[in-house]
Amino acid sequence: MLGTLLTLPTGGLPKFIWLSAVFSAFNTIQCLVAPLGMTRKIYSQQPDQVTPLTSHVFAAWTALSAVLRYQCAFNMGNELVYDITFWSYVIASAHFTSEIVAFKTIKMPGAAISTFCVAITSILWMIHDRDVYIH
């Protein structure tokens, strides 16, 4: 069992998703420890709307995303986990797109560029490699 936990499935996608989970975990901690720090930089066009409460809610979403991504990285053949993780990236990219285009709370390029790029890369990669992992 320990060997299974320490070994990701083959391919770059599981490693990318695992790394995304690690960064999500760090972001969760950051949102809880310094709620007005990076979150306010991401939503730089409306910094007054970023409160400790909104940062804590963002931390909860990000923690859920980290758990999903971690589980997916180690269980790439589980169709349900794969699909839920995929849709979490779609929701994240839709959120950031709406904040950029509709609500204008995020300035691009800016602090959100890496998060947006990870979401889009993950979506495209998961679509491309789906048949590799889901049989």
Side-chain angles (χ1 to χ4, degrees):
M1 181 172 169
L2 187 57
T4 303
L5 291 175
L6 298 177
T7 306
L8 287 165
T10 59
L13 182 56
K15 293 168 185 63
F16 187 80
I17 292 173
W18 179 84
L19 191 59
S20 174
V22 171
F23 286 132
S24 294
F26 281 121
N27 190 33
T28 298
I29 294 166
Q30 177 272 318
C31 285
L32 295 172
V33 173
L36 300 180
M38 183 55 93
T39 308
R40 196 166 264 177
K41 288 180 184 173
I42 291 172
Y43 299 93
S44 62
Q45 299 303 101
Q46 301 283 332
D48 55 313
Q49 291 185 20
V50 177
T51 66
L53 176 60
T54 58
S55 191
H56 296 158
V57 171
F58 197 72
W61 159 258
T62 307
L64 176 60
S65 296
V67 170
L68 282 172
R69 293 167 187 176
Y70 179 84
Q71 286 299 316
C72 185
F74 285 97
N75 298 286
M76 295 295 290
N78 184 318
E79 188 173 8
L80 181 61
V81 173
Y82 193 97
D83 289 345
I84 292 171
T85 303
F86 170 81
W87 284 106
S88 76
Y89 286 118
V90 171
I91 292 167
S93 67
H95 164 73
F96 284 107
T97 299
S98 70
E99 293 297 331
I100 293 164
V101 176
F103 304 118
K104 302 193 184 326
T105 58
I106 297 175
K107 180 181 167 188
M108 286 297 271
I113 190 86
S114 61
T115 305
F116 192 73
C117 288
V118 166
I120 296 300
T121 300
S122 300
I123 290 166
L124 295 175
W125 202 346
M126 289 182 83
I127 290 170
H128 182 268
D129 280 10
R130 180 179 176 78
D131 292 340
V132 172
Y133 299 103
I134 306 300
H135 307 286

